[in-house]
Amino acid sequence: MTILPYSINKREAWNRFVQESKQGTFLIDRNFMDYHADHFFDCSLLVYGDDVDESDVTDDSLIALFPANWREEEKTVYSHQGLTYGGLITKSSITQTEVMQIMQKILMYYEGYLGAKAMVYKPIPYIYSRVPAQEDLYALFRAGGQLENRSVATVVSTAHPLNMRTLRIRQAKKALEHGFYIERIKDADSQSLAEYWSILESVLMEYHQAKPVHTLEEIALLMHRFPKQIKLFVVRNTDRQIVSGIVVFETDLVAHVQYIASAAEGRKYGALDLLLRHLCNEKYKDKDYVDFGTSTENGGHFLNEGLIFQKEGFGGRAVCYDAYRVELKRNRLQKMTSMASNAEGTKAIKFLDLKTINETYEPELSNSILRAMHSGWYLLGEENKAFEQEWSNYLGVSHAVLCGNGLEALVLILRAYKLLKGWADGDEVIVPGNTYIATILAIREAGLTPVLVEPSLNDYNIHADECKKALTQRTRAILAVHLYGRISSDIGELQQLSADNNLILIEDAAQAHGAMWQSRRAGTIGNAAGFSFYPGKNLGAMGDAGCVVTDDTELANTVRTMANYGSSIKYVNELEGINSRTDEVQAAVLRVKLPRLDQDNAHRREIAQAYIRGIKNPMIVLPAWPEDEEECVWHVFPIRCPEREALQAYLREAGVQTLIHYPIAPHKQQALSALEHGPLPITQRIHNEELSLPISPIMTMEETEYVIRLLNKFVK
Ligand SMILES: *Cc1c(COP(=O)(O)O)cnc(C)c1O
């Protein structure tokens, strides 16, 4: 499927499709719309069945049209604005599933490319649709649309009219007896048009405190441009004064009556009865419908029952003209079609679909990259500075220093403390045995000795008891790792233990962006923390980036200098530093993504909770739900299963991708074969049994349920 915005060279194709579809008969002729597009930036769309680019689409493959306008200041798309009529127009052979997909594409186009926040959708009333299904509304409900406004129009079906009320007939007779007569005003007669428009304006002012949508100049121009479609009928008295009038917008099927108004004399002697009766019984008896328009008052807030009664008297029936409002939320839009695609058997649940995730930040993401790229400043610039500010504000910490990646963030912290505290080579840092190897490599890189301790099977994190056992004269720091996004349930004790033994508590927060313990974000609990913005982390760049955060000003300054070749003044090198910097482009990307971090983490929690509630299989060990849900941001959803390989293969067969975090324990890696350590049976067990289920900000609840059903059916 390909979506293209309307342009003037597609006018012929548009008009032909409208004629052939016989759907949505009201004023979606592009001639009208082009006129109105001058007033509202036009964002009508053409939908083609093929998946091709612009130059290759053929008019034959048109499957749908979507007429719409765009209000930039409100960031809202209207499927009906001014004179254009809204509603999706499709080929009659289109199925419900396809309507859903079309609407999803259209809404995502508006959200993504236009930056629209909302759409107001006015569906085509069913009587004007030769395809009477309301699948567009179903699609809208799935996108979260809600009825915002309902008005009632009265429509006479010329083939099946109700009986005209005798009161109306009597009034029309009275008008004739009074000498009233009907005249059609041609656009050349600008004086009569002006005379009628001033009656209309005063009536609207008096009864609705409103002005007509069109000014006199605009309606004059429209009548001049579209003499066949827009007609003004008036009723005159014996002095040739205009006493009533209406404007009709004609289409092939329908005469739409608009701008009905009567001066006092016209009202008294039934001028409108004469006129409307004439239109229904004579002038437009060959049309399918005469639409008397909606009957509201007070700016559209109340139905005018009297007016409805009066219009119904000409033989009409009620038809709803509704307006739905849908807030364009990317997450919600993505979920619209998931049921439909599941029903068709295409189940492919990726572990983490970074491409799609990053697309949800468009167009801001591309704009920010271009902004950074075109600034002409590529490292240590304004984007770095701004993100450091935003990130430290978010965390509630005094200093954030961007660097090359998560590994280097930890290396920089350890090297800086080593320098500031005078630690010796080989001094010891306590670290969980089950961490990602980066944590251990960082300690070694800083010339210190990692002392591996066993984690708890409950939260896969280190606890004070195990750390106490590992304390020696040379212990300088504890490096707690918030593995899988979870802060150790023992973090308070670890703080205490560090304080009691004059140790530095460092957090490896590379998996825990946004997690919170007792109102403190992960990364602000210990003396310093390292973050990684590797693309797959909960807050990920589009390349490498990392950050050191701390309240310790001396440490922050040392880290900043050390990361920049040991230099704080250009070409003056105080320390033997390294080169570890974040690109301006990456900082710009992170600035776009940070504001949605909490929302994304909340969605991860929702999935994790569904997994924990739904998975019931004695072969599977689920992670424990933390005491306070804020303590975990579910970077990974780890389960354990003694039959892990069989389970992974079973899920793969069913289209569900899983990963193992991590298949080989660090102490079993060849790279660390020189590392001394005691027995680590718990660590080993985790590495043998762990399996990570898909979890991400864009994973839907339907997908989650699908994974749950599969897991519950798994037998050895
Ligand atoms: C990702 C990660 C790192 C390393 O981050 P990089 O940016 O890839 O260098 C360190 N520790 C843990 C726990 C991680 O998950």
Side-chain angles (χ1 to χ4, degrees), residues 405-407 435-436 438-439 481 483 508 510-511 532 534 537 544-545 662:
N405 53 60
L407 170 69
T435 185
Y436 176 56
T439 325
V481 182
L483 202 69
D508 179 345
Q511 301 191 359
S532 161
Y534 176 80
K537 309 288 189 185
D544 271 322
Y662 300 89

Side-chain angles (χ1 to χ4, degrees), residues 466-715:
E466 288 294 323
C467 294
K468 256 181 220 156
K469 284 192 232 159
L471 286 179
T472 71
Q473 287 301 314
R474 298 196 68 181
T475 308
R476 300 288 171 254
I478 295 175
L479 213 177
V481 182
H482 308 311
L483 202 69
Y484 308 143
R486 181 170 199 150
I487 298 173
S488 168
S489 58
D490 221 20
I491 194 76
E493 283 74 15
L494 291 172
Q495 270 182 327
Q496 194 57 50
L497 183 70
S498 305
D500 292 348
N501 293 278
N502 198 23
L503 305 178
I504 295 291
L505 179 61
I506 301 168
E507 298 167 74
D508 179 345
Q511 301 191 359
H513 311 75
M516 194 131 71
W517 172 77
Q518 295 189 355
S519 309
R520 308 178 71 161
R521 298 276 186 190
T524 68
I525 302 165
N527 300 77
F531 280 96
S532 161
F533 302 116
Y534 176 80
K537 309 288 189 185
N538 287 27
L539 179 60
M542 297 179 93
D544 271 322
C547 191
V548 172
V549 302
T550 183
D551 280 325
D552 180 339
T553 304
E554 201 183 12
L555 180 79
N557 290 341
T558 309
V559 164
R560 198 180 286 284
T561 304
M562 201 173 258
N564 188 30
Y565 287 111
S567 144
S568 50
I569 302 164
K570 203 164 188 180
Y571 304 130
V572 180
N573 300 76
E574 308 137 49
L575 305 171
E576 257 187 270
I578 58 172
N579 171 11
S580 182
R581 299 183 290 228
T582 295
D583 290 354
E584 284 285 277
V585 167
Q586 299 308 336
V589 165
L590 291 167
R591 293 184 65 196
V592 172
K593 296 179 79 171
L594 173 58
R596 225 183 65 194
L597 176 61
D598 284 342
Q599 186 191 326
D600 285 357
N601 284 341
H603 186 67
R604 285 171 181 270
R605 278 189 197 112
E606 203 181 332
I607 293 168
Q609 192 159 44
Y611 276 148
I612 289 175
R613 287 197 179 140
I615 299 170
K616 291 187 175 70
N617 186 328
M619 294 180 67
I620 292 170
V621 180
L622 293 167
W625 189 253
E627 211 167 286
D628 174 358
E629 65 168 21
E630 301 273 349
E631 287 168 20
C632 188
V633 291
W634 300 100
H635 173 61
V636 158
F637 188 88
I639 60 170
R640 292 201 329 272
C641 176
E643 299 295 331
R644 175 179 66 187
E645 271 64 35
L647 179 58
Q648 188 172 35
Y650 162 83
L651 290 172
R652 193 187 306 119
E653 280 290 291
V656 177
Q657 191 189 8
T658 57
L659 293 181
I660 294 169
H661 294 101
Y662 300 89
I664 305 173
H667 69 281
K668 295 284 185 188
Q669 298 280 7
Q670 196 189 332
L672 294 178
S673 53
L675 191 67
E676 283 176 35
H677 59 83
L680 295 162
I682 296 174
T683 297
Q684 192 54 56
R685 180 163 176 199
I686 294 169
H687 287 80
N688 288 346
E689 297 183 350
E690 196 274 346
L691 187 70
S692 304
L693 300 183
I695 189 165
S696 86
I698 57 163
M699 185 168 174
T700 67
M701 295 324 283
E702 281 93 349
E703 288 170 331
T704 310
E705 293 301 327
Y706 174 67
V707 177
I708 293 170
R709 277 199 302 279
L710 282 176
L711 287 169
N712 288 346
K713 278 191 270 178
F714 175 71
V715 285

Side-chain angles (χ1 to χ4, degrees), residues 301-314:
H301 292 296
F302 298 102
L303 290 181
N304 183 330
E305 316 274 353
L307 199 53
I308 293 172
F309 176 80
Q310 202 174 346
K311 288 173 176 175
E312 190 257 357
F314 293 92

Side-chain angles (χ1 to χ4, degrees), residues 219-498:
I219 195 74
L221 183 62
L222 273 172
M223 283 176 65
H224 180 71
R225 281 188 56 165
F226 306 108
K228 284 210 189 68
Q229 292 104 329
I230 305 182
K231 291 170 185 163
L232 170 61
F233 296 92
V234 297
V235 176
R236 291 189 191 274
N237 64 15
T238 44
D239 297 331
R240 285 194 49 77
Q241 284 170 323
I242 295 176
V243 293
S244 270
I246 56 164
V247 178
V248 177
F249 294 86
E250 273 184 40
T251 67
D252 287 350
L253 299 179
V254 188
H256 289 271
V257 176
Q258 308 249 303
Y259 289 145
I260 305 176
S262 255
E265 188 188 352
R267 281 201 292 278
K268 190 167 174 195
Y269 297 105
L272 278 176
D273 292 291
L274 178 68
L275 183 49
L276 292 172
R277 187 183 176 202
H278 169 73
L279 295 182
C280 291
N281 287 3
E282 303 294 331
K283 175 83 185 141
Y284 291 119
K285 64 175 191 276
D286 296 332
K287 297 276 179 206
D288 287 5
Y289 300 104
V290 179
D291 185 331
F292 285 77
T294 56
S295 309
T296 52
E297 56 186 45
N298 235 346
H301 292 296
F302 298 102
L303 290 181
N304 183 330
E305 316 274 353
L307 199 53
I308 293 172
F309 176 80
Q310 202 174 346
K311 288 173 176 175
E312 190 257 357
F314 293 92
R317 290 183 175 281
V319 168
C320 286
Y321 274 75
D322 292 337
Y324 294 82
R325 185 182 179 83
V326 50
E327 306 300 329
L328 301 180
K329 299 236 171 69
R330 178 58 62 134
N331 281 355
R332 181 80 194 240
L333 299 182
Q334 259 148 355
K335 290 178 204 172
M336 275 176 70
T337 55
S338 54
M339 285 280 251
S341 57
N342 274 356
E344 280 163 14
T346 44
K347 300 177 200 78
I349 303 177
K350 288 192 184 172
F351 183 75
L352 188 66
D353 185 355
L354 278 181
K355 179 171 153 56
T356 307
I357 289 173
N358 283 333
E359 276 169 5
T360 65
Y361 294 94
E362 294 293 9
E364 287 86 352
L365 197 58
S366 294
N367 292 344
S368 74
I369 291 170
L370 290 175
R371 181 184 69 221
M373 196 175 100
H374 292 310
S375 74
W377 194 271
Y378 307 105
L379 291 162
L380 301 179
E382 291 305 316
E383 303 287 349
N384 264 249
K385 212 187 269 175
F387 178 71
E388 284 180 350
Q389 191 62 51
E390 288 156 10
W391 184 229
S392 53
N393 283 350
Y394 171 85
L395 294 176
V397 72
S398 321
H399 307 281
V401 183
L402 281 168
C403 62
N405 53 60
L407 170 69
E408 287 170 358
L410 296 173
V411 173
L412 286 163
I413 293 169
L414 290 162
R415 284 191 56 178
Y417 269 129
K418 197 177 171 198
L419 188 78
L420 294 172
K421 305 278 179 196
W423 296 348
D425 275 345
D427 278 355
E428 293 168 5
V429 178
I430 293 174
V431 64
N434 62 321
T435 185
Y436 176 56
I437 194 167
T439 325
I440 295 167
L441 291 179
I443 299 169
R444 305 254 302 173
E445 178 69 27
L448 300 166
T449 302
V451 176
L452 306 193
V453 299
E454 290 271 68
S456 141
L457 269 182
N458 186 52
D459 61 6
Y460 303 112
N461 213 320
I462 48 174
H463 284 233
D465 285 350
E466 288 294 323
C467 294
K468 256 181 220 156
K469 284 192 232 159
L471 286 179
T472 71
Q473 287 301 314
R474 298 196 68 181
T475 308
R476 300 288 171 254
I478 295 175
L479 213 177
V481 182
H482 308 311
L483 202 69
Y484 308 143
R486 181 170 199 150
I487 298 173
S488 168
S489 58
D490 221 20
I491 194 76
E493 283 74 15
L494 291 172
Q495 270 182 327
Q496 194 57 50
L497 183 70
S498 305

Side-chain angles (χ1 to χ4, degrees), residues 42-56:
D42 188 64
C43 55
S44 298
L45 299 176
L46 296 95
V47 183
Y48 299 85
D50 306 331
D51 235 337
V52 290
D53 47 88
E54 180 149 14
S55 51
D56 293 337

